[in-house]
Amino acid sequence: AQSVTQLDSHVSVSEGTPVLLRCNYSSSYSPSLFWYVQHPNKGLQLLLKYTSAATLVKGINGFEAEFKKSETSFHLTKPSAHMSDAAEYFCVRAPRASKIIFGSGTRLSIRP
Amino acid sequence: DTGVSQNPRHKITKRGQNVTFRCDPISEHNRLYWYRQTLGQGPEFLTYFQNEAQLEKSRLLSDRFSAERPKGSFSTLEIQRTEQGDSAMYLCASSLETSGSLETQYFGPGTRLLVL
């Protein structure tokens, strides 16, 4: 089955420290992968997407993700967390338009 | 604001009533998607349109659910004879499909439905 797994339901970091949100996918071929962020009472916003052009993908707000085929992972990172980063983050794969698969989400909390 | 808009933002209804939600996509986008999101879960795909044609429906979309996009612009999602299990956030997204590229979906703020 084609799926995406977010390994942590909740991650808490201190402001100014690195962020790591983990995502693994299962697929028999190279997938198209995304990270979306959902702030309370706001719509889902695209952070970045992987389309096989480069394994290290840079997104908005200082986030980036690295596609590692050998590990079937697409982890999201940020060098220094900001209070405004507190939100729900979703790893998404999309082999085609009608097969958008969201992970279960990781809630990121930032401690002052 | 030229993003995706959804109305209403909140809806409370009694079990057995019908409800209709509206989604206005970004104007030049030819694809429109509906998702359902329950608490603590990621969004689940329901259906999508390419212009006015409904191309795919998820098995999650029971016979009580119907979606339309009559002129290839806005879309409506109707739920008939609502059940308490229909309580969820209903999300709409739109994208511009171009040949050979993976398009980005832009999401609306959602309609939160509570069935009493």
Side-chain angles (χ1 to χ4, degrees), chain A residues 97-98, chain B residues 28-34 45 47-56 68-73 75 93-99 101 103:
Chain A
S98 60
Chain B
E28 64 267 26
H29 284 183
N30 52 7
R31 282 191 174 165
L32 186 148
Y33 305 79
W34 284 100
F45 170 81
T47 187
Y48 90 100
F49 293 83
Q50 172 101 3
N51 300 312
E52 66 274 12
Q54 188 172 18
L55 295 189
E56 189 156 341
E68 294 182 344
R69 195 184 183 198
K71 298 182 180 178
S73 57
S75 175
S94 70
S95 69
L96 178 63
E97 188 270 344
T98 57
S99 177
S101 69
E103 71 271 20

Side-chain angles (χ1 to χ4, degrees), chain B residues 76-91:
Chain B
T76 58
L77 177 68
E78 181 183 16
I79 309 174
Q80 295 181 326
R81 304 180 304 282
T82 52
E83 302 172 356
Q84 288 182 327
D86 297 332
S87 296
M89 176 76 87
Y90 290 85
L91 297 170

